[in-house]
Amino acid sequence: MNRLDLLEHTDTVNEQLARYGVKFGIYKNNTFKEQLFPFDAIPRIIDKTEFDYLEKGLRQRVQALNFFLKDIYHDKKIIRDKVVPEEFIYASSGYLVQCEGIMPPKEVYSHISGIDLVQGKNKEWYILEDNLRVPSGASYPMIARKICRRSSPVTFRENHIADNRDYAALLRKTMDDVKVDGLIVLLTPGRYNAAYFEHSYLAEKTGVQLVNGNELVVEDDHLYFIKSNGKKEKVGAVYRRISDEYLDPMNFLPESVIGIPHIFDVYRKGNVALMNAPGNGIGDDKGIYYFVPSMIRYYMGEEPVLNNAPTYLPFYEKDMAYVLEHFDDLVLKDVAEAGGYGVVFGSSMTKAQKESFIRLLKKEPRRFIAQEVIDFLDIDIMDEGHIVPRKADLRAFVLSGKETVVWKSGLTRFSRNPDSFIVNSSQGGGFKDTWVLSQ
């Protein structure tokens, strides 16, 4: 596979990404800072047969999670049948009582799912976590591929790579599938959000209106976009990129200044689609993650195609005993954290830190999961002119409208620290293109 020509254009690609403003923002010490998301030109390559396998497993998993979300806010059969303990639902910060009994348009909850996977050195793929609220990252491989094609057209003539430029069309079709009568808008919290570049880029590529909260208003049980001339146009779907709690100050956090008063009431009446649906946080709670294989068997009568990473719930006495006995060999995760935060390795703690953490674990067992440390398959990156191995994951994007579709691309994130398993951009990681071979 010839990739040498592309590697020679690495600096050019990064310069172009900087010119396009391909950045992400982070808050540190209460100060907002933007930084470039470093791109590595050595692609991750997944052959067609392997991706077909991933596609089957990802579609299965997201369909099961959508079944779960529908069930948990309506009949709750999975609780009555004791597949998932009741405590794991109602103790979750992602469960929203306000969503009880609400059916989203077309009965789809997670329209855009970001599923994080890693490949072990045994070549087996493992699901690390599910992101069903406002998963980000699709814009980065989209624009990187665009610039790479322009910088090195010979690379894409000589290699059989699935074209990833269809993401915008897939996303737009999903929006059209689930919208009710009216305009489609992408709701952003604004310029100082970490993923603002992505908000504006996806709005442009899908041809929908990019809006903030003060450009939307509720009247007569419908949502309207206020145009620059003051006229109002009915909205049928909102691809919202703000968290549940800030969405509507009349139904969630009253101090929110970026939400739209009563938008949730319009949604409750079925007069607008919200993508993704409020309340999805119960589906990507790291404690609920443990039960996804059981959900697949329960709702679909199938064995899971893709496995979870080996996971233990200290909530269960047997699992707590295992965690305490093998503490140094495990990674502990706070179920409410994201972005690489709340993750600690037992082996990296001092004796005092372990004692303190174990006391907290025994006091709040529902708050944590423990996982075996997967020996990631190293992938090559270019570091100061040298090819070196680094840990990496893959965020796959699954779109659900009338059908469930897996994008033939994805966001490969890697750690720039040779001693770290944390690949998140907020933790200093970089990204690379993911080539899915077309034959």
Side-chain angles (χ1 to χ4, degrees):
M1 173 122 339
N2 182 9
R3 57 191 186 187
L4 293 179
D5 187 71
L6 180 58
L7 296 187
E8 292 172 1
H9 293 83
T10 299
D11 291 343
T12 302
V13 174
N14 272 291
E15 287 168 7
Q16 289 294 313
L17 289 170
R19 185 172 296 178
Y20 274 98
V22 182
K23 301 177 180 179
F24 64 92
I26 57 173
Y27 282 92
K28 196 167 186 177
N29 300 324
N30 296 318
T31 301
F32 179 80
K33 294 181 180 179
E34 280 190 319
Q35 58 194 63
L36 295 174
F37 196 3
F39 174 74
D40 182 75
I42 302 176
R44 163 176 250 155
I45 299 171
I46 303 175
D47 68 35
K48 184 180 185 305
T49 301
E50 188 167 27
F51 192 81
D52 288 347
Y53 160 76
L54 290 177
E55 186 175 35
K56 181 180 179 182
L58 290 163
R59 187 185 296 118
Q60 177 195 59
R61 190 175 182 96
V62 169
Q63 287 174 340
L65 284 163
N66 266 306
F67 286 138
F68 168 73
L69 289 164
K70 178 182 175 181
D71 183 26
I72 215 65
Y73 285 116
H74 292 84
D75 296 334
K76 300 177 176 54
K77 292 178 181 177
I78 201 165
I79 296 176
R80 291 204 305 272
D81 291 339
K82 301 187 185 306
V83 178
V84 178
E86 189 173 41
E87 298 93 324
F88 267 78
I89 304 301
Y90 302 122
S92 171
S93 61
Y95 167 77
L96 298 182
V97 68
Q98 296 96 324
C99 296
E100 278 293 325
I102 298 177
M103 185 67 74
K106 308 302 191 297
E107 300 187 4
V108 179
Y109 283 80
S110 186
H111 309 87
I112 303 99
S113 306
I115 310 298
D116 293 345
L117 309 95
V118 294
Q119 190 175 23
K121 287 187 175 176
N122 60 0
K123 297 299 181 71
E124 185 172 352
W125 288 89
Y126 299 93
I127 304 283
L128 276 191
E129 62 181 52
D130 308 290
N131 299 279
L132 311 180
R133 283 174 276 188
V134 283
S136 64
S139 62
Y140 299 115
M142 288 172 70
I143 193 167
R145 179 76 63 87
K146 174 183 177 180
I147 295 172
C148 286
R149 291 178 71 96
R150 184 191 305 156
S151 301
S152 179
V154 66
T155 298
F156 295 89
R157 283 198 301 267
E158 294 182 354
N159 297 293
H160 300 285
I161 307 162
D163 193 341
N164 78 347
R165 289 176 291 183
D166 63 345
Y167 184 79
L170 294 172
L171 178 57
R172 180 58 192 254
K173 184 179 186 304
T174 301
M175 295 169 169
D176 288 333
D177 282 351
V178 301
K179 75 170 185 175
V180 297
D181 182 42
L183 185 71
I184 301 171
V185 300
L186 192 155
L187 174 62
T188 177
R191 175 69 184 78
Y192 294 104
N193 182 263
Y196 182 74
F197 163 77
E198 173 154 295
H199 304 168
S200 57
Y201 190 75
L202 291 180
E204 175 192 346
K205 293 302 179 183
T206 55
V208 306
Q209 186 72 43
L210 181 68
V211 303
N212 55 45
N214 60 21
E215 294 176 288
L216 298 176
V217 65
V218 170
E219 292 181 358
D220 301 323
D221 294 332
H222 287 87
L223 183 68
Y224 294 89
F225 166 58
I226 305 170
K227 301 168 81 171
S228 57
N229 61 7
K231 292 185 179 180
K232 297 169 186 171
E233 187 171 353
K234 188 185 293 184
V235 175
V238 179
Y239 179 16
R240 50 95 178 206
R241 296 299 297 257
I242 69 176
S243 301
D244 290 347
E245 60 268 32
Y246 298 106
L247 184 62
D248 182 346
M250 309 306 292
N251 284 277
F252 302 109
L253 281 181
E255 59 267 33
S256 172
V257 295
I258 58 174
I260 302 97
H262 298 294
I263 188 175
F264 189 74
D265 301 315
V266 178
Y267 167 69
R268 183 187 290 117
K269 288 178 165 58
N271 292 336
V272 71
L274 296 180
M275 305 168 61
N276 282 333
N280 276 11
I282 184 61
D284 63 19
D285 180 299
K286 289 183 177 66
I288 293 297
Y289 158 94
Y290 177 91
F291 298 100
V292 177
S294 298
M295 290 178 200
I296 293 169
R297 298 183 187 99
Y298 180 75
Y299 293 117
M300 305 178 73
E302 300 171 0
E303 282 301 306
V305 174
L306 293 168
N307 294 317
N308 280 6
T311 304
Y312 307 93
L313 289 187
F315 175 83
Y316 292 124
E317 287 186 15
K318 181 179 177 182
D319 282 16
M320 175 69 88
Y322 183 91
V323 171
L324 295 179
E325 184 178 350
H326 299 88
F327 192 85
D328 287 355
D329 301 320
L330 302 172
V331 55
L332 292 302
K333 297 181 179 181
D334 189 318
V335 300
E337 294 284 0
Y341 296 99
V343 177
V344 292
F345 290 82
S347 59
S348 67
M349 295 186 194
T350 65
K351 182 179 178 181
Q353 288 172 331
K354 288 177 189 176
E355 291 173 351
S356 176
F357 191 94
I358 288 171
R359 285 195 297 271
L360 179 61
L361 187 65
K362 290 179 176 178
K363 181 181 177 183
E364 301 180 55
R366 169 63 177 87
R367 181 177 165 182
F368 299 96
I369 63 170
Q371 292 179 323
E372 302 285 353
V373 180
I374 295 173
D375 194 4
F376 288 22
L377 182 70
D378 294 307
I379 65 174
D380 290 340
I381 73 162
M382 186 69 73
D383 184 28
E384 297 183 354
H386 301 283
I387 294 178
V388 296
R390 291 290 184 269
K391 304 303 181 188
D393 75 351
L394 172 67
R395 173 164 292 182
F397 292 90
V398 186
L399 303 176
S400 303
K402 289 181 180 176
E403 56 185 0
T404 303
V405 179
V406 181
W407 184 34
K408 287 183 170 58
S409 187
L411 176 65
T412 291
R413 301 174 296 183
F414 62 87
S415 171
R416 290 192 288 167
N417 180 345
D419 301 316
S420 177
F421 285 74
I422 306 297
V423 301
N424 305 73
S425 56
S426 56
Q427 304 290 305
F431 82 105
K432 57 172 66 215
D433 197 1
T434 305
W435 289 3
V436 176
L437 302 187
S438 57
Q439 62 181 40

